[in-house]
Amino acid sequence: MDTDKHPIEQYFSFKHPLTQFLPMEYVGLEDGLLTMNIDVPGHFVAEPATGAVHSGFATLVLDTVLGGAVLGHIKLSQPIATVGLTTQHMRRAVKGEKLVCRARLEGIHRNMAHMSGQLAAAGGEMLSTATGTFMIGTRAKPLGARL
């Protein structure tokens, strides 16, 4: 494993069921803000006439990026789990659209990481926002071991 890579960058370089459906690219980590680029794939389209994707796409992206940001902040490599995720959607993304997702660690208390994030169009228009809480050090087997 490349220790120079951010954990989310490592995650998206391995074959994992999620990486097949979410074309994401690690941009960087600056001043505690993790940034990822996303191309909106067609298999999430909910309205074929407009190309609008299901709002669950934004929720999935935000959950994934916020969780990946948590992994970059913890010292020891250990499993995490989403305990709570609240999303607010202003508009749905459209197939082929270029998006930017940003995530920030707000703090860790009692092995719970508190996160915030935003999903925006590449031009800056806000699509969705999220706050999330992630448990650090869960005891379940990793997803790969269960497949």
Side-chain angles (χ1 to χ4, degrees), residues 2-143:
D2 187 349
T3 56
D4 291 338
K5 286 185 175 184
H6 189 282
I8 199 167
E9 191 176 12
Q10 291 176 10
Y11 178 76
F12 274 91
S13 66
F14 291 115
K15 289 192 184 283
H16 183 282
L18 185 60
T19 62
Q20 298 175 53
F21 298 102
L22 284 179
M24 289 195 194
E25 174 191 22
Y26 175 78
V27 175
L29 180 65
E30 187 174 327
D31 295 328
L33 190 66
L34 173 73
T35 302
M36 301 284 290
N37 285 339
I38 300 103
D39 292 327
V40 181
H43 43 264
F44 288 94
V45 170
E47 295 179 10
T50 63
V53 298
H54 192 280
S55 61
F57 170 78
T59 301
L60 178 62
V61 168
L62 285 159
D63 184 43
T64 301
V65 175
L66 270 63
V70 170
L71 293 173
H73 285 286
I74 57 180
K75 304 273 187 253
L76 219 73
S77 179
Q78 53 190 315
I80 64 166
T82 307
V83 174
L85 184 71
T86 301
T87 57
Q88 300 295 321
H89 304 292
M90 278 58 83
R91 83 159 169 86
R92 291 188 278 163
V94 177
K95 176 186 171 185
E97 190 171 20
K98 307 284 186 196
L99 305 178
V100 177
C101 189
R102 294 184 176 91
R104 178 178 305 281
L105 173 72
E106 300 298 340
I108 297 175
H109 180 68
R110 294 188 176 178
N111 290 329
M112 300 292 266
H114 300 271
M115 305 295 297
S116 63
Q118 303 174 333
L119 183 65
E125 179 189 5
M126 191 62 55
L127 274 67
S128 301
T129 61
T131 57
T133 307
F134 296 80
M135 181 185 296
I136 300 169
T138 60
R139 292 189 166 92
K141 288 182 181 178
L143 178 62

